[in-house]
Each structure stands twice: as C-alpha cells, then as structure tokens.
Amino acid sequence: MRTNRFMPEYKTAEELQNLQLKGLQWTVGHACKGSARYQKRLLDAGIGPQDIHSLDDLRHLPFTTADDLQEGYPFPLVCVPFDKVVRIHASSGTTGKRKVLCYTQKDIDDWAYFFARCFEMAELSREDRVQIAVGYGVWTAGVGFQLGCEKFGAMAVPVGPGNMDMQCQFLVDFESTVMCCTASMGLLLAEEVNRRGIGDKIKLKKMIFGSERSSEAMRARMRELLGLEHMFDIPGMTELYGPGTGLDCVHHTGIHYWADYYILETVDPETLAPSPEGEIGEMVVTSLRKEGVPLIRYRTRDLTRLLPGECPCGSPLPRHDRLLGRTDDMIIFRGVNMYPRTIDKILSATEGISCEYQIVLERGSDGKEYMTVKAERDQSVDASQNENLSRKIASQIKHSILVSATVQVVDYGSLPRSERKSRRVLDNRN
Ligand code: ZN
C-alpha cells in the first residue's frame, strides 16, 4: 500500500491551478529580477510579471532553449547571488557545450522531497534496499537517487554503474530489493544473473530505469530472467533539477509528473503551437519553485504526449506518456519523417525476435538512401526462421512507415551491448 508522506497536498484540479498560477507569477518575477537575459527576453516579448493573471498567460511567455543555457557558460540564467548557490550539476552534453546548472539549498531540498515521492509512487517501504547503479558525480543521476532514497527512508546501496561482479555480489549479500539503472544495464545484469545461476539467491522485486527508453521486449526479458514484479521509468533532466520529476505508478498507465513543481506543455516542434491533449509534441517545462536557475517554457527536445483521463490509482497527479524520442532523433529517410521508436515497436511485437537491434542508414552508389534493420533472433528460435522473420518485419515496416528496408535477422548476442545507452541508429549517409 502506498503511504502518503510525499504526495502533493492539493486535491482538486482547481487547487492545482491556483498553486501553479502562484508558482508561475513567482517564477516570472524572480527570473526578471535575477537574470538580465531573462529580463531582456521578457521585455522583448512585451510581457512582465504584472501581466500574468491566469495560466493561459503562459502561452504569451517566450520560450527558453538549450542555447540560452549554453551561451552563458559556465553559469547561465542564474537568478540568485552566488552566496546562495550550494551546488552545481552539469548535463553530459551529448550535443554541443555542456550545460551547467546552479542549485540553492531549497532547490536541493525540493529535489530530495519529490524524488522521495518517486519511491513512494513505486510503493517501496522503508525496509526496501535500493541498489543505485547509475553514475555519481557532476552528472545529476546518482546523487539524486541517493538523496531521494535517504529522504524516503529506505536503505541506499550506492554502487554506481558497471562492475557486474560487485552488482551480483551485492544483490546476493545485501538482498537488494530495488535496482536503479539504465535499461541497457538492467538487461546485462539480468543476463549475468542468469548466466551465474543466482536467480534463486536474490530478492530483487523492482527496477527503476533512468535516462533511456526500454522496449517491451527488453522488459519482458528482464521480467522473465529476474522474476521482477514491477519496472518503472523515471524521467528527468539536469535542467529541471535532475532525475525524479515523475514516475509511473504500479498500474503503469503513463508517468505521473509533479505538476506542483512544474508545468508541462506539449507543442509542435515546428510551429510551436500547443499540441492537443493525447497527441505527440515536444515537452516544454516551466518550473514553479526553482530558485537557482528557474525555467520559463524550456524546450526539452523530448517528445511525449499528455494523457487524458484519470489513472486507476486515483492520484491527482497528471500523466504524460513515456518519452517517445528526441525531436533531433527524427530520421528523415527518403523524405519520410520517422522515429526509431516505430521500428522498436514493430520488433517488440514480432515473436521470435529479441530486444537488440540496429538501424543502419546508407547512401548507395546510385545516390539513393538505403535502410538496413538488423534484429537479433530470440535465443529459443533457430536460424532456419531467419528468412521468414525478415520477411515479416520488412512487410510491417513497409506497412507502418511506408518505406522499404532490408531486414537482417542475426544470431542472439551478436549485436553490441553497452552498460550505458546503446547506440541503435548508425547514419552513414554522408
Ligand atoms: Zn496511477
């Protein structure tokens, strides 16, 4: 049963709106006062703190982008004096210069509080033992999990990523019940536990995945090998505190997000018009209490959609879908816009196919673009099925994205695996 130590106090949609409006007014005022860049941006847009009368006014506020956080390197958009800054974190900077974010003590306290809410949402108890196998350091992940776990009151086992020997040993010796890691690492661990035959010596019940999407097939494999009860997706980005800004509940109907800490909008990445509820758009966030570096309509480049209706768990916290890709993951192949996730979904739904795959894009000597999808055959299926499976997948791809792909079914275990995020799209066209 879920306790209610870290859940929001509001009960109705109206109470939430009032709370968000107050937070929005405070944020715009704070940003305008604290940062010359924000002040100028608001002035250019002809809107100030005094103009925010309702949540609809959010739409008139200018967007903030990754550029705004990179151009002011090393300390962009800081809105408090430096004697109030108690910590910095940086994003790993997959594209361009890294983004450095400043935190006040209140920011850290807020983060720990709502991260504890993640563990509550996942229905952990204080008796749980949480093995934290994500990176520690200047990146936000590890320390966020750690703070949240301690605040919640469960036992943290801070291991960091990799080191399968130690992970397996701790699972056995400390009887960890919860594992926090990337989905790729979770899969490696599951295979390792299976290989060592220690499945009956461990007490693992739940896994919480950060920073990487996991396919249905990966989840099915981990569930099977580890006997897991639940797997959760934890969203989060350094710009908005770090990981822990939401979690799916045990009904797994989407990610409940902390609407009392930030407003989530979805917009069309091309036109920037709001996407209708239920439709995929770019996730845009506005913080409501963040002091160090508040965010006003920050374009995250992540794609998701807001989910309508109420969750069976009855939580008043709204939901968004899992992250469905990055706006810059979009592949334009022969003039067609597509996301790797579509291929992922097709493969996951194909019986006899495992969860590792690769999409290779090339330009032929005729100047045309070619796509090859490499998919691993399931362990239980033999190679005589390759042709049959390839044909099935190719026809599904043609049917759902209207492009032709060459499909190669390869042996189980032959595609590269990584403890971090696996690279699944190889674009060799240029
Ligand atoms: Zn729920």
Side-chain angles (χ1 to χ4, degrees):
M1 246 338 263
R2 199 159 74 207
T3 54
N4 208 12
R5 293 189 294 142
F6 300 100
M7 291 297 159
E9 278 167 21
Y10 74 84
K11 296 276 180 295
T12 64
E14 202 192 341
E15 277 172 32
L16 173 61
Q17 281 167 14
N18 286 335
L19 199 144
Q20 288 186 329
L21 177 59
K22 268 194 204 136
L24 181 62
Q25 287 166 333
W26 176 82
T27 296
V28 175
H30 176 65
C32 197
K33 213 163 48 194
S35 149
R37 192 176 179 100
Y38 264 135
Q39 190 175 55
K40 177 167 189 309
R41 189 62 61 80
L42 290 162
L43 209 66
D44 290 348
I47 186 166
Q50 69 288 348
D51 302 315
I52 312 290
H53 304 295
S54 82
L55 286 178
D56 290 336
D57 294 323
L58 182 64
R59 305 244 164 109
H60 306 302
L61 289 166
F63 288 96
T64 308
T65 65
D67 289 344
D68 293 309
L69 285 172
Q70 283 162 328
E71 276 166 30
Y73 185 85
F75 303 121
L77 302 182
V78 189
C79 290
V80 294
F82 273 90
D83 64 351
K84 291 264 188 300
V85 175
V86 299
R87 194 197 287 176
I88 61 151
H89 279 294
S91 74
S92 46
T94 42
T95 48
K97 207 188 254 179
R98 63 186 42 126
K99 295 164 232 155
V100 181
L101 280 296
C102 293
Y103 297 66
T104 66
Q105 187 57 53
K106 181 182 185 294
D107 294 338
I108 299 286
D109 294 344
D110 283 352
W111 187 24
Y113 182 87
F114 69 65
F115 210 126
R117 184 184 287 175
C118 294
F119 294 120
E120 190 165 291
M121 190 57 96
E123 301 193 2
L124 266 61
S125 78
R126 285 172 168 146
E127 277 72 49
D128 272 298
R129 297 173 179 186
V130 184
Q131 195 157 318
I132 303 169
V134 297
Y136 280 76
V138 78
W139 325 126
T140 45
V143 67
F145 280 91
Q146 180 85 25
L147 275 175
C149 182
E150 288 168 358
K151 181 92 188 165
F152 179 77
M155 185 175 101
V157 183
V159 193
N163 206 340
M164 285 300 157
D165 270 339
M166 202 196 282
Q167 305 286 0
C168 287
Q169 193 191 345
F170 288 177
L171 281 179
V172 173
D173 294 355
F174 302 157
E175 303 184 334
S176 304
T177 52
V178 181
M179 185 89 190
C180 305
C181 56
T182 63
S184 300
M185 174 155 167
L187 185 61
L188 276 178
L189 187 77
E191 287 176 344
E192 193 58 30
V193 165
N194 184 47
R195 199 181 61 78
R196 294 178 186 219
I198 53 171
D200 56 344
K201 294 198 184 74
I202 65 172
K203 299 264 170 76
L204 202 57
K205 294 283 176 291
K206 293 171 182 174
M207 272 195 174
I208 299 178
F209 301 127
S211 81
E212 187 197 28
R213 301 185 299 283
S214 56
S215 69
E216 276 316 314
M218 278 170 95
R219 289 170 169 255
R221 183 88 181 131
M222 287 184 269
R223 192 178 291 120
E224 175 200 329
L225 291 178
L226 295 169
L228 297 175
E229 286 168 7
H230 288 286
M231 281 168 275
F232 303 91
D233 272 317
I234 201 161
M237 66 197 100
T238 307
E239 297 93 311
L240 187 64
Y241 301 92
T245 47
L247 200 82
D248 45 335
C249 68
V250 295
H251 296 277
H252 306 294
T253 58
I255 293 166
H256 288 283
Y257 67 91
W258 314 153
D260 49 344
Y261 283 87
Y262 63 101
I263 297 174
L264 196 162
E265 301 171 84
T266 48
V267 303
D268 181 310
E270 297 290 324
T271 65
L272 300 181
S275 322
E277 191 176 56
E279 274 178 36
I280 297 177
E282 180 177 344
M283 187 197 267
V284 171
V285 294
T286 300
S287 64
L288 299 171
R289 318 184 186 194
K290 211 161 168 275
E291 292 182 337
V293 181
L295 297 178
I296 297 176
R297 302 194 85 196
Y298 178 68
R299 294 185 57 188
T300 65
R301 304 267 166 201
D302 284 321
L303 295 166
T304 191
R305 56 199 180 113
L306 290 164
L307 298 173
E310 212 181 274
C311 180
C313 76
S315 168
L317 288 159
R319 290 166 301 151
H320 66 76
D321 204 342
R322 282 198 215 161
L323 300 184
L324 306 170
R326 303 270 300 162
T327 55
D328 32 51
D329 277 349
M330 191 172 76
I331 300 169
I332 304 177
F333 176 73
R334 295 194 172 183
V336 177
N337 297 356
M338 53 170 277
Y339 291 98
R341 183 178 158 84
T342 315
I343 305 270
D344 190 318
K345 269 181 118 169
I346 292 170
L347 296 174
S348 287
T350 309
E351 213 172 307
I353 289 295
S354 109
C355 36
E356 285 295 339
Y357 67 94
Q358 238 177 24
I359 300 168
V360 186
L361 302 167
E362 277 156 326
R363 191 171 297 280
S365 49
D366 55 2
K368 285 190 190 156
E369 298 176 7
Y370 291 92
M371 173 162 63
T372 306
V373 175
K374 296 182 185 178
E376 279 188 5
R377 204 174 53 242
D378 217 50
Q379 248 173 332
S380 57
V381 177
D382 75 87
S384 65
Q385 291 301 308
N386 283 7
E387 213 186 299
N388 186 22
L389 286 167
S390 307
R391 218 178 314 120
K392 225 189 245 174
I393 297 164
S395 120
Q396 277 297 321
I397 293 174
K398 179 94 196 168
H399 177 78
S400 55
I401 32 186
L402 309 173
V403 297
S404 297
T406 306
V407 178
Q408 287 175 6
V409 175
V410 299
D411 290 345
Y412 181 82
S414 64
L415 291 176
R417 282 156 166 73
S418 131
E419 286 166 9
R420 294 174 185 273
K421 300 180 200 184
S422 294
R423 193 156 157 249
R424 297 203 168 93
V425 180
L426 301 177
D427 192 344
N428 304 327
R429 286 177 293 183
N430 296 309

